[in-house]
Amino acid sequence: MLIVTGATGRLGALIVDRLLERVPPAGIGVSVRDVSKAAELAERGVRVRAGDFTEPDSLKYSFEGAERVLVVSAAIRGGGALTANTAAIDAAREAGAERILYTSHQAASPTSLFPPQRVHAATEEHLQRQGVPCIALRNGFYASALGPYIGAALETGTLAVPQDGLVSWTAHEDLAEAAAIALTEDAALEGNTPQLTAPHTLDFADVAETLSRITGRTITRVVMDDSEWTSAAVAGGMPRPAAEFALTMFAASRNGEFNVTDPALEATIGHPAKTVHEILEAAIR
Ligand SMILES: NC(=O)c1ccc[n+]([C@@H]2O[C@H](COP(=O)([O-])OP(=O)(O)OC[C@H]3O[C@@H](n4cnc5c(N)ncnc54)[C@H](OP(=O)(O)O)[C@@H]3O)[C@@H](O)[C@H]2O)c1
């Protein structure tokens, strides 16, 4: 049985959708925190069992009979993500999985300025030590992460954020398709840390220009000083820890950490990756 975690989240749900095009439902199991959120999958014949990475014993049940497990990384603030994700990987091996996949990030690195990338790097290290064939899918930065910034830009006509850098913004849909293929076709990807990114890189000035083209209005990119932006974000209601976390993303971005593209994603899915223009156009409509 192929087990997918995080199937009630955005990426995991799309992965299961794509898997259902390739594998009969009885061959798919999902491990989710809240089975009631996966009722539709159960109706479609997918095995739905409760499992929480922070309660590893629960994974013995949800991973039972696993031949392959795709661990969709859990984002847990406050230092728990590494423990949770490595617990899921351990549980996959203990369940007898012959292949373990993990959704990492294109910029996974122990020295990243963006803390989640350090967690991914440490999780990848743990994964490679399992003695089981494994793949860390190094997913490109989700284009959906632009959402909170473009909302304000559309209201004010100004995309005012700290200095950033080029990013290979990538669509959930393309990453999900690649993950479903990786889970079902051993030779689909080369190496055990494939970089799965869209082929274009854009910074926020490019995003502002894209928004202007889509809306027919002028959206102006304004570079804000880090502390000025933090104060404005907090004054606008963003909790200070969230604003400081966002700043680390800008710091990593202007450090060039997300300025990476790789042909592996398009080669795997066999069609062009969605562009930021397409993604934003669909999101705004
Ligand atoms: N590539 C990128 O740019 C990027 C950006 C942001 C995040 N990420 C990573 O990619 C992952 C998937 O993205 P997404 O868009 O699908 O996020 P999402 O919609 O927030 O889904 C996250 C999934 O993780 C599950 N989860 C959270 N804590 C868990 C735990 N303790 N045990 C088991 N499952 C747990 C959630 O379960 P519930 O449905 O019960 O909440 C949810 O299904 C994120 O969790 C994060 O690690 C990547």
Side-chain angles (χ1 to χ4, degrees), residues 150-177:
I150 59 172
L154 291 174
E155 268 175 38
T156 62
T158 303
L159 183 47
V161 288
Q163 182 61 57
D164 65 322
L166 293 166
V167 179
S168 46
W169 301 107
T170 307
H172 271 76
E173 289 79 2
D174 293 331
L175 294 169
E177 190 176 353

Side-chain angles (χ1 to χ4, degrees), residues 15 22 68 70 99-104 127 133-140 174-197 262-270:
I15 292 171
R22 309 173 72 84
R68 292 167 182 216
L70 171 57
R99 197 169 166 84
I100 305 172
L101 295 87
Y102 168 74
T103 59
S104 182
L127 182 66
C134 57
I135 301 186
L137 303 168
R138 287 195 173 168
N139 288 344
D174 293 331
L175 294 169
E177 190 176 353
I181 292 169
L183 195 50
T184 49
E185 291 178 33
D186 290 355
L189 289 162
E190 268 181 43
N192 53 12
T193 54
Q195 302 262 6
L196 300 169
T197 75
D262 193 289
L265 176 65
E266 289 190 338
T268 304
I269 62 180

Side-chain angles (χ1 to χ4, degrees), residues 5-13 31-34 37 51-55 59 72-76 81 84-85 88 102-106 114 116-117 120 138-145 169-170 172 175:
T5 76
T8 46
R10 180 152 180 216
L11 184 71
S31 170
V32 295
R33 287 196 294 186
D34 178 353
K37 283 165 71 181
D52 188 319
F53 297 179
T54 63
E55 293 164 21
L59 302 175
V72 172
S73 57
I76 299 171
N85 291 330
Y102 168 74
T103 59
S104 182
H105 195 286
Q106 161 267 310
F114 188 42
Q117 310 312 348
H120 284 308
R138 287 195 173 168
N139 288 344
F141 216 116
Y142 294 158
S144 61
W169 301 107
T170 307
H172 271 76
L175 294 169

Side-chain angles (χ1 to χ4, degrees), residues 30 66 82 85 105 116 118 136 157 171 201 207 209 230-231 236 256 277:
V30 295
L82 180 58
N85 291 330
H105 195 286
R118 303 199 288 269
T201 54
V207 171
E209 216 176 281
T230 309
S231 304
H277 187 111

